[in-house]
Amino acid sequence: MSEQNSNSHKTLRDEALYILKTNSRDHRYTVPSDRLYPYQWNWDSGFIALGYAAYDIDRALTELDSLMDGQWQNGMVPHIVFHEFEEHYAPGPLDWQVPSHLTAKPGVCTSGITQPPIIGTVLARIYASCPDKEAYHLRFATLYTHVKAYHEWFMTKRTSAPAHDLVKSLHPWESGMDNLPCWDKLVDDVPRGDISQFRRKDLKGDNAAQRPHDSDYHAYMSLVYHYRAIGYDSIELLPQAHFKVYDLVLNSLLLRSAHDMAQLAQDIKPEDQAYWQAQIHTLTQGMQKLWSEEHQAFLNQNAFDGQFLMPLSCASFLPLFARAANETQAAALAKLYTKWREIYPYSVPTTDPESPKFEIERYWRGPIWVNTNWMISEGFAAYGYQDIADTIKADTRALIEEHGFYEYFTPEGAKGLGANHFSWSAALALYWLF
Ligand code: GLC
């Protein structure tokens, strides 16, 4: 690396550290962004903990502990934990109204759905990098138990006959990729409820044009109020859900996490080995149902009718991260990646750039995200496509160098968009890029 590059990387590292410091609350949890997302989000905290682990194991574990403060009695880790009331974000605790008996700790407010389970993978990575495993043994063992309960919840509460080998997502927000065009048809079909009590608060500043449309928000909130009326943790939730998808992000990250938890169990709880191996086997088999021969890619699937959901998205590459693809499938995905990369000079866009639904600036419908790039790059490297892995890494680095730690970036490289000083962009830069 040239001296100039190494100086600029040091400056970027300092900036990333500063972002995590200013977005940290009470030295316990970290908001994704000061203005747009002022609470604690599930998968954000996973990526953020990886960033902390690069220089402070204690703080990394505390990030996961604080997320687990919101874990439910039934094992679910909710997608948002509302540690402090914040008037600038909606939907807040009063919209969700999660009954207090559902959360394991009294007095903690949370949302009523989950998000992609990256935390098992994160825990195992922190463990692997921890120089004094003995000193932290109890904390790792406690978090291990929490994450195992989370897996158990997925496999029991989010699977149903005949498909116990794939978990279902019940809301576009559960995939973490809230606004993918492949949800459009299902979102259109959601019965609209009365949401007159709800006011959007995400249309701030000049980002409004990149946010989801009002009609989509009507569907999102109708789902929230419908699940609230059912009582969330009820046996009626799955049969009565108005949005049901075999989701690539949830299933890929759950399988990746099962692999990583199996590894961690060797030190923390060897007697759990059979449990993890069985889950790896089940989910790996299930993932094959999401492979489309016709499109030569993995696709999200409508769980109501078994139809694949088009267009292709960056989620199609995540089974590589999960090691769920075979060599032929990996080769097809490498070809797909290369085609997309020839259209735009930066990768990986969220939506197939050849789809009419592609929108270069609207979030999850075109722009590039740092977290998905990290997972896709790792996935390609694992299958021997080191050149692709390196290109994705170089693209991500260049976008941050050019624009800063934005939430997402346009694939022609012109703009950083969404929230600036975004926590997971800073954290993954520390962990992966600089
Ligand atoms: C947006 C993203 C979601 C993320 C949240 C907080 O809703 O779609 O994935 O967790 O912001 O950053």
Side-chain angles (χ1 to χ4, degrees), residues 75 95 100 136 234-236 249 263 276 296 306 331 356 408 415 434:
D95 294 297
S100 57
Y136 287 98
S234 145
I235 47 167
E236 295 307 322
V249 195
Q263 183 78 30
W276 292 115
Q296 287 294 295
Y408 44 94
K415 287 186 194 167
F434 300 118

Side-chain angles (χ1 to χ4, degrees), residues 117 151 153-156 158-160 163-169 245-248 250-252 254 283 290:
H151 274 255
W153 170 81
F154 265 118
M155 299 308 286
T156 52
R158 286 302 183 86
T159 62
S160 57
H164 285 287
D165 51 3
L166 282 174
V167 301
K168 290 178 188 139
S169 134
V245 166
Y246 293 118
D247 176 88
L248 281 172
L250 285 192
N251 283 285
S252 298
L254 193 64
L283 289 169
L290 302 184

Side-chain angles (χ1 to χ4, degrees), residues 133-422:
K133 296 186 176 28
E134 230 160 85
Y136 287 98
H137 182 83
L138 184 61
R139 291 185 72 185
F140 280 114
T142 307
L143 282 165
Y144 172 93
T145 307
H146 283 292
V147 176
K148 187 180 171 201
Y150 188 26
H151 274 255
E152 195 51 27
W153 170 81
F154 265 118
M155 299 308 286
T156 52
K157 298 275 187 162
R158 286 302 183 86
T159 62
S160 57
H164 285 287
D165 51 3
L166 282 174
V167 301
K168 290 178 188 139
S169 134
L170 304 186
H171 197 295
W173 292 342
E174 291 204 311
S175 76
M177 303 188 181
D178 313 0
N179 197 27
L180 287 182
C182 65
W183 311 141
D184 285 358
K185 166 85 178 57
L186 277 170
V187 167
D188 282 350
D189 288 350
V190 168
R192 301 311 200 250
D194 174 11
I195 64 152
S196 49
Q197 56 186 297
F198 178 73
R199 291 276 168 284
R200 285 183 78 167
K201 293 184 182 168
D202 62 319
L203 300 173
K204 293 169 195 158
D206 45 11
N207 287 336
Q210 299 149 23
R211 302 290 304 175
H213 296 287
D214 275 346
S215 59
D216 298 332
Y217 247 85
H218 196 165
Y220 301 155
M221 289 313 298
S222 299
L223 287 171
V224 169
Y225 293 151
H226 178 56
Y227 298 156
R228 179 175 99 185
I230 294 172
Y232 300 115
D233 183 32
S234 145
I235 47 167
E236 295 307 322
L237 187 65
L238 219 49
Q240 292 190 19
H242 290 154
F243 178 99
K244 254 186 272 191
V245 166
Y246 293 118
D247 176 88
L248 281 172
V249 195
L250 285 192
N251 283 285
S252 298
L253 270 55
L254 193 64
L255 174 54
R256 175 74 257 152
S257 175
H259 280 290
D260 295 321
M261 290 292 285
Q263 183 78 30
L264 188 56
Q266 285 179 3
D267 277 13
I268 305 257
K269 215 166 181 219
E271 62 271 33
D272 280 356
Q273 220 29 250
Y275 173 87
W276 292 115
Q277 294 310 327
Q279 203 167 104
I280 290 168
H281 180 74
T282 304
L283 289 169
T284 306
Q285 274 194 334
M287 288 294 291
Q288 282 302 320
K289 296 184 188 162
L290 302 184
W291 174 258
S292 158
E293 266 310 302
E294 182 190 350
H295 299 284
Q296 287 294 295
F298 290 93
L299 284 169
N300 287 299
Q301 198 179 68
N302 182 342
F304 291 108
D305 63 10
Q307 296 292 310
F308 283 128
L309 296 168
M310 290 291 280
L312 295 168
S313 69
C314 64
S316 295
F317 299 105
L318 290 180
L320 298 171
F321 183 64
R323 312 295 188 269
N326 60 36
E327 297 299 321
T328 317
Q329 291 165 339
L333 292 175
K335 217 165 128 188
L336 180 69
Y337 168 85
T338 307
K339 190 164 115 196
W340 288 13
R341 184 63 169 63
E342 279 162 7
I343 300 173
Y344 284 109
Y346 295 88
S347 56
V348 181
T350 18
T351 294
D352 177 358
E354 288 187 326
S355 161
K357 295 256 186 174
F358 176 87
E359 290 180 72
I360 201 157
E361 292 196 6
R362 196 178 295 279
Y363 105 147
W364 295 114
R365 297 175 89 90
I368 295 168
W369 294 72
V370 176
N371 65 334
T372 49
N373 271 12
W374 167 60
M375 293 185 283
I376 297 169
S377 172
E378 274 219 351
F380 273 120
Y383 282 82
Y385 295 92
Q386 194 58 47
D387 49 341
I388 295 185
D390 291 344
T391 307
I392 297 174
K393 193 169 180 175
D395 288 352
T396 318
R397 202 183 264 146
L399 287 166
I400 291 177
E401 279 167 355
E402 179 73 17
H403 304 290
F405 295 95
Y406 273 91
E407 189 181 357
Y408 44 94
F409 304 86
T410 54
E412 92 291 41
K415 287 186 194 167
L417 297 170
N420 193 359
H421 307 133
F422 190 63

Side-chain angles (χ1 to χ4, degrees), residues 31-33 36-45 47-48 79-80 89 115-116 172-179 211 217 363-364 369 371 407-408 419 422-424:
V31 298
S33 120
L36 199 55
Y37 307 113
Y39 290 113
Q40 183 177 28
W41 264 257
N42 180 334
W43 76 332
D44 294 65
S45 272
F47 300 121
I48 289 164
H79 100 295
I80 304 179
Y89 183 85
Q115 249 196 339
W173 292 342
E174 291 204 311
S175 76
M177 303 188 181
D178 313 0
N179 197 27
R211 302 290 304 175
Y217 247 85
Y363 105 147
W364 295 114
W369 294 72
N371 65 334
E407 189 181 357
Y408 44 94
F422 190 63
S423 296
W424 86 38

